[in-house]
């Protein structure tokens, strides 16, 4: 049940599980180039849950958050683009912001 999933991972970044995950990521987890960060994974999962609950606005928000947390989160980008959750201009802006954050 999707509602139960949200109750476990929390509906926003203030959840206890995310606070613990952020601490884990900052302590050195997620350094491997073949994996995405734990925070990004939680954001991706929230996006999937909201998409399944047909709340596209919140799904888009969390998919973008997953990319912001870790630009290697291909699945979030794929969901946004392939499922046409954001338009072309918004895609371009998102990619530009990711490029800027990568060079900063």
């Amino acid at each position: 049940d999707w509602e139960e999933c949200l109750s476990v991972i929390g509906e926003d970044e203030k959840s206890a599980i995310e606070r613990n995950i952020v601490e884990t990521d900052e302590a050195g987890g997620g350094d491997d180039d073949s994996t995405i960060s734990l925070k990004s994974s939680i954001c991706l999962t929230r996006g999937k849950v909201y998409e399944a609950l047909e709340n596209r606005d919140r799904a888009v928000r969390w998919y973008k958050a997953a990319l912001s947390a870790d630009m290697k989160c291909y699945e979030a980008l794929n969901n946004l683009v392939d499922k046409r959750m954001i338009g072309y201009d918004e895609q371009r802006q998102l990619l530009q912001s990711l490029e800027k954050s990568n060079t900063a």
Side-chain angles (χ1 to χ4, degrees):
D1 171 77
W2 293 110
E3 297 291 339
E4 185 177 345
C5 182
L6 275 180
S7 71
V8 171
I9 64 172
E11 294 186 34
D12 60 30
E13 56 275 330
K14 294 178 181 135
S15 68
I17 191 169
E18 188 146 356
R19 284 192 303 271
N20 292 335
I21 286 171
V22 170
E23 291 170 10
T24 302
D25 277 354
E26 289 172 355
D31 289 340
D32 182 1
D33 283 340
S34 65
T35 61
I36 62 172
S37 75
L38 292 172
K39 181 178 180 182
S40 182
S41 296
I42 291 293
C43 293
L44 175 65
T45 302
R46 284 188 186 119
K48 288 179 179 182
V49 169
Y50 282 117
E51 185 179 353
L53 293 172
E54 298 180 5
N55 188 334
R56 288 177 65 92
D57 291 339
R58 289 190 96 173
V60 167
R61 172 185 170 213
W62 287 111
Y63 287 144
K64 287 181 177 180
L67 286 166
S68 293
D70 191 337
M71 64 186 306
K72 294 179 288 191
C73 187
Y74 172 76
E75 191 173 352
L77 181 63
N78 191 52
N79 286 345
L80 288 170
V81 174
D82 285 356
K83 296 177 181 180
R84 293 180 171 75
M85 297 184 90
I86 58 176
Y88 175 75
D89 290 335
E90 199 171 355
Q91 289 175 30
R92 195 177 74 236
Q93 289 173 352
L94 177 62
L95 292 174
Q96 288 173 347
S97 72
L98 292 172
E99 285 177 1
K100 286 179 186 176
S101 67
N102 188 41
T103 59

